[in-house]
Amino acid sequence: MNKVQIIAEAGVNHNGCITSALKMVDVAAECGADSIKFQTFKAENLVTPNASKADYQKASSSEAESQYAMLKRLELTYDDHQVLIEKCNKANIAFLSTPFDFESLDMLLTLGMDVIKIPSGEITNLPYLQKVGSCGKKVILSTGMSDMHEVLAALAILVAAGTTKEDITILHCTTEYPAPFAEVNLKALATLKKACGTKVGYSDHTTGIEVAIAAVALGATIIEKHFTLDKNMQGPDHRASLEPNELRAMVWAIRNIEQALGDGEKNPTVSELANKNVARKSIVAACAIQLNEQFTIKNLTTKRPGHGISPMRWNEILGKKAARQYSANELIEQ
């Protein structure tokens, strides 16, 4: 069975504190996530000095603070990344991080990253896509805020640059924090899979865990979900994130769902076979039947157990003569 890859998205919920980031690694591992993902960027390479923040970012910080200033205090250094990778190795959880600029991409490659996660905001950044596509790594492409034309264009750039479709997973995503349920559109997973010919997954920004679980049932091979140590902390993404107990519950539910999906073949299971004769019926005598008496709809009926003649042979048995005498409720033999 192909295991669904669960990415616990730490993002910037460490608030720029390496101690909190390290604690998040432990929490993600304890909750059963396969990977923990951070964000790697240099504020000066990502935004102009006076770029405004999104409404959800303004709601969780000072309106007077620019996006640049907010991002600057959320940066992780090269040394921070090394410490986090070492921590992930000890905790037996994969380290991932999203590069938001060329310098950050180069740094992650130097640190040995073998999976590159492209954030939704870079899906129309042609030079960035070309560089990612030329790295020879597995690629996860988030598609928030995009239409199908933009998704296909980004996919074509990655492939043309050298990444095969087999190494690309496209994540459906709604870029709002939290994302309204009415705007999730999980049916787009099937649309993306058919149109792109790649594996698909889901980056979930809704509150709760049910949408991520539903995405697994619809074929998502990767689930990415923001988590935090405490939703009440100051920062842009905490309110749309899961707390540890919720992350643990989501992982548990996804593992159950992926088992329940099975192989798609319709056959009785091992446990069902033990119940088959108990739940099914056989053709039985409805009343006393004499030797050589003809079987009719009046002297036959169907009752449990099911280890006698199947009622599917009803028409075959009608009209035949009894080879022996039967008491009421005896299973008919032929």
Side-chain angles (χ1 to χ4, degrees), residues 6-14 24-25 28 33-41 93-94 96-100 117-120 140 142 171 173 177 202-205 223-229 237-238 240-242 247 250:
I6 300 175
I7 301 174
E9 169 70 81
V12 294
N13 281 345
H14 48 73
M24 294 185 83
V25 172
D34 299 293
S35 309
I36 180 169
K37 189 176 77 65
F38 295 91
Q39 295 179 5
T40 304
F41 53 84
I93 186 170
L96 290 175
S97 191
T98 300
F100 283 79
K117 166 65 192 302
I118 299 174
S120 293
I140 301 172
S142 271
L171 303 190
C173 177
Y177 301 83
Y202 177 57
S203 180
D204 186 23
H205 295 160
I223 293 295
E224 179 183 82
K225 183 75 173 178
H226 282 265
F227 82 105
T228 179
L229 299 176
D237 298 335
H238 292 287
S241 301
L242 300 181
L247 177 61
M250 186 192 77

Side-chain angles (χ1 to χ4, degrees), residues 139 152 155-156 159 162-169 195-199:
V139 173
L152 291 173
L155 177 61
V159 172
T163 302
T164 66
K165 283 190 176 184
E166 290 73 22
D167 285 334
I168 299 172
T169 302
C196 299
T198 65
K199 295 184 289 293

Side-chain angles (χ1 to χ4, degrees), residues 17-333:
C17 172
I18 187 60
T19 302
S20 293
L22 290 168
K23 186 174 181 180
M24 294 185 83
V25 172
D26 283 330
V27 168
E30 289 165 5
C31 289
D34 299 293
S35 309
I36 180 169
K37 189 176 77 65
F38 295 91
Q39 295 179 5
T40 304
F41 53 84
K42 290 285 188 181
E44 57 268 28
N45 297 334
L46 182 54
V47 296
T48 57
N50 297 317
S52 62
K53 292 181 293 190
D55 288 341
Y56 76 89
Q57 294 172 330
K58 292 176 183 177
S60 60
S61 61
S62 169
E63 263 194 69
E65 182 184 47
S66 67
Q67 185 180 172
Y68 174 87
M70 178 189 71
L71 291 173
K72 194 65 185 174
R73 60 180 171 81
L74 296 174
E75 287 181 3
L76 293 173
T77 67
Y78 181 87
D79 289 342
D80 289 338
H81 282 74
Q82 286 185 308
V83 171
L84 285 169
I85 291 171
E86 183 179 346
K87 178 70 170 179
C88 286
N89 290 337
K90 289 180 180 178
N92 196 29
I93 186 170
F95 172 88
L96 290 175
S97 191
T98 300
F100 283 79
D101 55 78
F102 290 139
E103 184 179 347
S104 297
L105 174 57
D106 288 337
M107 184 179 83
L108 290 175
L109 292 172
T110 299
L111 289 167
M113 285 279 294
D114 56 5
V115 178
I116 301 173
K117 166 65 192 302
I118 299 174
S120 293
E122 306 302 322
I123 197 167
T124 56
N125 187 344
L126 189 148
Y128 175 95
L129 294 171
Q130 286 178 324
K131 181 161 184 177
V132 170
S134 68
C135 290
K137 306 293 184 181
K138 291 186 181 298
V139 173
I140 301 172
L141 172 65
S142 271
T143 61
M145 304 172 291
S146 61
D147 57 32
M148 186 55 71
H149 172 76
E150 290 170 326
V151 175
L152 291 173
L155 177 61
I157 293 166
L158 291 170
V159 172
T163 302
T164 66
K165 283 190 176 184
E166 290 73 22
D167 285 334
I168 299 172
T169 302
I170 293 178
L171 303 190
H172 177 49
C173 177
T174 303
T175 305
E176 176 63 317
Y177 301 83
F181 290 106
E183 295 183 9
V184 167
N185 190 24
L186 276 184
K187 290 182 178 179
L189 280 167
T191 304
L192 286 167
K193 186 174 183 178
K194 182 178 180 180
C196 299
T198 65
K199 295 184 289 293
V200 295
Y202 177 57
S203 180
D204 186 23
H205 295 160
T206 64
T207 56
I209 65 175
E210 60 268 37
V211 178
I213 296 165
V216 172
L218 291 174
T221 61
I222 291 176
I223 293 295
E224 179 183 82
K225 183 75 173 178
H226 282 265
F227 82 105
T228 179
L229 299 176
D230 184 348
K231 288 181 182 179
N232 296 314
M233 293 172 68
Q234 288 297 312
D237 298 335
H238 292 287
R239 294 179 189 176
S241 301
L242 300 181
E243 291 188 334
N245 63 319
E246 295 172 303
L247 177 61
R248 185 177 293 106
M250 186 192 77
V251 172
W252 179 83
I254 288 174
R255 296 300 175 227
N256 286 339
I257 291 298
E258 63 186 356
Q259 287 187 73
L261 287 172
D263 61 10
E265 298 294 327
K266 180 56 183 171
N267 289 303
T269 66
V270 172
S271 59
E272 283 183 309
L273 290 174
N275 300 322
K276 200 170 180 179
N277 288 337
V278 176
R280 290 188 174 182
K281 294 179 177 178
S282 301
I283 299 175
V284 304
C287 57
I289 300 174
Q290 302 304 312
L291 174 66
N292 290 325
E293 183 178 343
Q294 191 175 50
F295 292 130
T296 69
I297 61 173
K298 292 184 178 180
N299 61 18
L300 294 181
T301 188
T302 62
K303 292 184 181 181
R304 292 175 177 177
H307 57 258
I309 297 174
S310 169
M312 294 300 287
R313 294 177 59 194
W314 179 263
N315 292 334
E316 174 190 336
I317 299 302
L318 288 179
K320 290 189 175 182
K321 291 184 178 181
R324 66 174 179 86
Q325 184 176 333
Y326 290 94
S327 298
N329 291 318
E330 275 196 272
L331 274 64
I332 300 301
E333 300 170 354

